[in-house]
Each structure stands twice: as structure tokens, then as C-alpha cells.
């Protein structure tokens, strides 16, 4: 007798759950507008891909332009560092005795500074190129996603 009472209650609860799920799913469809959507007002995906391509091209142009400016700035900075190192070595050369330790050290330091300026400049320009390529790749991926 207890088993029959339990199954009857379970059946009743199951019916209520099924009815509740049906009502909730009906409300979800109405909420999302699946039955009452106006498809004529939807934008054409072709327009979106054209706009995305145009914006992507503008972004890539801007990135290339800014990367060129950054590289020019890096080259100018490299030249100024080298000129400063040479100027400082020349000042030490003028104020010291011929062949002194300070003079040799100043010339050696100027050479080291010039070498490091060249290395740092090349490394920084490579980083700018890598960043530019990463941005262009991301823009190409986004354009590809919109064109599908």
C-alpha cells in the first residue's frame, strides 16, 4: 500500500514539473521573440562585413603609420645617444692628458654606449614590428569572422 501511495504522489509531481517546464519554455520563446520576430527589419550581413572590412583597413593603415613613426623616433633616439656618447668622449679627451686612463675609459665607454644603442634600437624596432603584425593579424581574423 505504501508503494502505491508513493508512486501516485510521484506521478502528480511529475505532471506538475512537466506543465511548469512547458510554461517556462513557452515564456522563453515569447521573451526572445521567436514567434513574433520581424525578419524584414534585420540588417543584411553583407553590409556588416563591408563595414568591418572598411574599419579593419583603417585600423591597419593607422597601425602601419604609427609603427613607422615609432621606428623613426627610435632611430632618432639612437642617433642622439651616439652623438652624446661621442661628445662626452671628446670632452674628456680635450680635458685630459694624452693617453690617460680617463681618456681611454671614456673612448671605451663611448664605444660600448654606441654598440648598446644600436642593439637596443634594433630590439625595440623588432618589438614594434611584432606588435604591428599582431594587431594586423587580429584585424584580419576579425574581418574573416565577419565575412563568413
Amino acid at each position: 500500500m505504501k508503494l502505491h501511495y508513493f508512486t501516485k504522489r510521484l506521478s502528480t509531481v511529475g505532471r506538475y514539473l512537466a506543465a511548469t517546464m512547458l510554461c517556462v519554455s513557452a515564456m522563453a520563446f515569447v521573451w526572445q521573440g521567436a514567434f513574433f520576430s520581424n525578419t524584414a527589419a534585420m540588417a543584411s550581413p553583407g553590409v556588416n562585413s563591408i563595414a568591418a572590412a572598411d574599419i579593419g583597413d583603417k585600423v591597419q593603415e593607422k597601425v602601419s603609420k604609427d609603427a613607422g613613426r615609432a621606428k623613426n623616433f627610435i632611430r632618432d633616439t639612437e642617433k642622439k645617444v651616439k652623438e652624446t656618447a661621442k661628445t662626452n668622449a671628446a670632452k674628456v679627451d680635450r680635458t685630459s692628458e694624452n693617453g690617460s686612463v680617463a681618456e681611454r675609459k671614456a673612448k671605451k665607454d663611448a664605444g660600448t654606449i654606441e654598440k648598446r644603442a644600436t642593439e637596443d634600437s634594433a630590439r625595440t624596432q623588432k618589438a614594434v614590428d611584432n606588435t604591428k603584425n599582431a594587431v594586423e593579424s587580429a584585424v584580419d581574423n576579425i574581418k574573416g569572422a565577419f565575412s563568413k
Side-chain angles (χ1 to χ4, degrees), residues 21-136:
M21 290 300 293
L22 183 64
C23 289
V24 167
S25 63
M27 284 191 292
F29 275 105
V30 170
W31 184 283
Q32 293 299 321
F35 294 122
F36 304 111
S37 64
N38 183 3
T39 57
M42 293 177 71
S44 170
V47 174
N48 292 339
S49 64
I50 292 170
D54 188 39
I55 291 170
D57 291 341
K58 287 181 182 178
V59 168
Q60 286 178 331
E61 288 175 17
K62 177 76 170 142
V63 167
S64 294
K65 190 176 186 181
D66 289 345
R69 288 179 183 167
K71 289 171 81 173
N72 286 337
F73 175 74
I74 293 165
R75 288 185 198 112
D76 290 344
T77 304
E78 175 189 1
K79 288 177 187 173
K80 288 179 183 177
V81 167
K82 287 180 178 181
E83 289 173 7
T84 304
K86 287 180 183 176
T87 303
N88 289 343
K91 287 178 184 176
V92 170
D93 186 31
R94 283 192 301 258
T95 59
S96 65
E97 303 168 5
N98 289 340
S100 70
V101 176
E103 182 181 349
R104 287 192 303 267
K105 174 92 169 105
K107 287 181 180 178
K108 181 180 172 187
D109 288 346
T112 303
I113 290 170
E114 289 177 25
K115 179 182 167 196
R116 287 199 179 152
T118 303
E119 292 170 354
D120 290 345
S121 173
R123 192 171 37 244
T124 307
Q125 288 181 37
K126 184 177 178 183
V128 167
D129 285 337
N130 290 342
T131 303
K132 180 186 86 153
N133 292 339
V135 170
E136 287 179 347

